[in-house]
Amino acid sequence: MPELPEVEVVRRGLERWVSGRTVADVQVLHPRAVRRHLGGAEDFAARLRGRRTGTARRRGKYLWLPFDDDTAAESVLAHLGMSGQLLVQPAGAPDEKHLRIRVRFADDAGTELRFVDQRTFGGLSLHDAVPGDPEGLPDAIAHIARDPLDPAFDEAAFHTALRRRRTTIKRALLDQSLISGVGNIYADEALWRSRLHYDRPTATLTRPRSAELLGHVREVMTAALAVGGTSFDSLYVNVNGESGYFERSLDAYGRENEPCRRCGTAVRRRPWMNRSSYFCPRCQRPPRPATATPPASRPAVPPLSARAAS
DNA sequence: ATGATAACCTGGGGGC
DNA sequence: TGCCCCCAGGTTATCA
């Protein structure tokens, strides 16, 4: 659920409240929260103590906090998973039920950084930077593609890669090695805006069509970011524990049986890859079902049985 | 190699 | 009241 806009909201909070502070102490309260740190919890805590943080960065749904000392080329990598929160809390505030990691600082600001995560899909870890990378990109996420709000996002390469894939459009949007930062919510929203069905084969997209889709991905993420992201409940909050307001602006996601804001047709929910896809059956027509018959001998009009299947 | 799927995890909510 | 099952879903390991 935390997708690019929500993670960017958190990054800005870290930049304001955490960057430039020196770590005094780290408590790992749940080992799973540092499972991506190969050295283990003790090593994670020991290597953070005494370090001063630099500017928080983000790629897609990943955040990292470099250290501003020169032993740099190392940073704390964070992923929120489905329910992770990074909170800046008064040091005396009661522990959250799902508090996993606490970071205390060596200053008198009175606040500490907390990683809270109910479902424990998220976590923190320490990684070296990709050698020579100007932003200090952690090597653990070198396979993550640039996100659509990154000025260096290569639009031409995206179109080429999309056309080369032998898959369907929503799968491709969720593939973080192709384009990062898009999750189930913004994928459905961008597809609705583009009038594209989630099962449309990527190979059938013309370049103008995929350019339009990319434009809608950017638009919906920018709009969400402007109002602090999407929150359905208290699980998704900024570093001060506040929720965003984009939920009320969603056009497709979570709107099963509600009227499409374009044509009034009831929005449908379909099971899809162990989750759900929301779409308007009128605006987003399903692709023609695949046929085993070679194109040359396929009848001009598909049999009724094939069309009824959709 | 590529693409598709299961597993990881917890709590809220609905049905009975 | 309580029990069971389903649902939310990003990422990775594993399978075909």
Side-chain angles (χ1 to χ4, degrees):
Chain A
M1 305 287 257
E3 303 180 29
L4 187 154
E6 292 74 36
V7 177
E8 175 61 16
V9 168
V10 172
R11 190 203 65 79
R12 292 176 183 180
L14 292 178
E15 187 167 42
R16 174 163 180 189
W17 301 105
V18 177
S19 289
R21 300 177 70 181
T22 300
V23 175
D25 186 45
V26 177
Q27 291 179 337
V28 177
L29 303 168
H30 195 305
R32 200 173 141 78
V34 291
R35 69 191 181 285
R36 294 190 72 174
H37 185 79
L38 300 183
E42 286 300 317
D43 182 69
F44 178 80
R47 289 169 68 178
L48 247 69
R49 281 186 204 108
R51 308 294 291 277
R52 186 168 184 270
T53 60
T55 302
R57 308 248 180 214
R58 181 190 55 75
R59 174 176 286 195
K61 304 168 193 171
Y62 285 91
L63 286 168
W64 68 97
L65 203 50
F67 299 116
D68 72 353
D69 51 64
D70 205 25
T71 41
E74 189 180 48
S75 58
V76 184
L77 179 66
H79 195 287
L80 301 179
M82 288 173 52
S83 55
Q85 305 173 339
L86 282 167
L87 302 176
V88 176
Q89 294 280 54
D95 287 2
E96 291 77 6
K97 182 176 180 185
H98 302 294
L99 177 62
R100 309 303 189 192
I101 298 172
R102 185 203 320 272
V103 179
R104 293 195 173 99
F105 297 99
D107 54 43
D108 55 5
T111 60
E112 59 188 33
L113 178 66
R114 298 180 178 182
F115 180 68
V116 176
D117 190 8
Q118 176 203 108
R119 294 173 211 174
T120 69
F121 279 164
L124 307 185
S125 48
L126 273 167
H127 301 279
D128 292 329
V130 171
D133 187 277
E135 287 190 313
L137 181 76
D139 55 15
I141 59 167
H143 65 292
I144 300 295
R146 290 187 185 273
D147 62 66
L149 299 191
D150 185 334
F153 183 86
D154 188 338
E155 204 163 323
F158 171 72
H159 294 308
T160 305
L162 199 63
R163 288 298 303 267
R164 240 170 46 86
R165 292 290 173 100
R166 288 298 173 263
T167 186
T168 49
I169 187 58
K170 186 168 170 182
R171 285 178 186 275
L173 284 178
L174 296 182
D175 184 340
Q176 305 296 301
S177 67
L178 184 62
I179 179 173
S180 70
V182 184
N184 203 39
I185 296 173
Y186 295 108
D188 279 2
E189 292 301 304
L191 289 169
W192 181 87
R193 290 180 178 219
S194 304
R195 295 176 162 88
L196 285 170
H197 190 276
Y198 56 90
D199 267 342
R200 170 71 93 78
T202 51
T204 70
L205 286 180
T206 62
R207 173 146 182 154
R209 211 77 171 89
S210 72
E212 184 192 348
L213 174 60
L214 182 60
H216 285 311
V217 171
R218 288 184 170 132
E219 280 180 20
V220 70
M221 285 183 165
T222 302
L225 187 52
V227 294
T230 300
S231 301
F232 294 96
D233 52 48
S234 59
L235 282 184
Y236 313 108
V237 295
N238 66 16
V239 297
N240 298 314
E242 298 156 342
S243 295
Y245 292 96
F246 196 68
E247 192 270 340
R248 61 189 67 174
S249 305
L250 294 175
D251 292 311
Y253 187 86
R255 297 195 67 240
E256 184 179 18
N257 295 330
E258 293 177 53
C260 169
R261 298 195 208 276
R262 259 193 317 250
C263 73
T265 305
V267 170
R268 288 189 185 158
R269 179 176 75 89
R270 285 282 177 275
W272 185 85
M273 286 185 68
N274 284 327
R275 57 198 72 176
S276 295
S277 278
Y278 296 87
F279 69 108
C280 170
R282 182 169 175 185
C283 298
Q284 300 165 265
R285 294 298 173 90
R288 190 193 297 169
T291 168
T293 320
S297 60
R298 191 196 330 125
V301 179
L304 271 178
S305 57
R307 286 188 284 175
S310 59

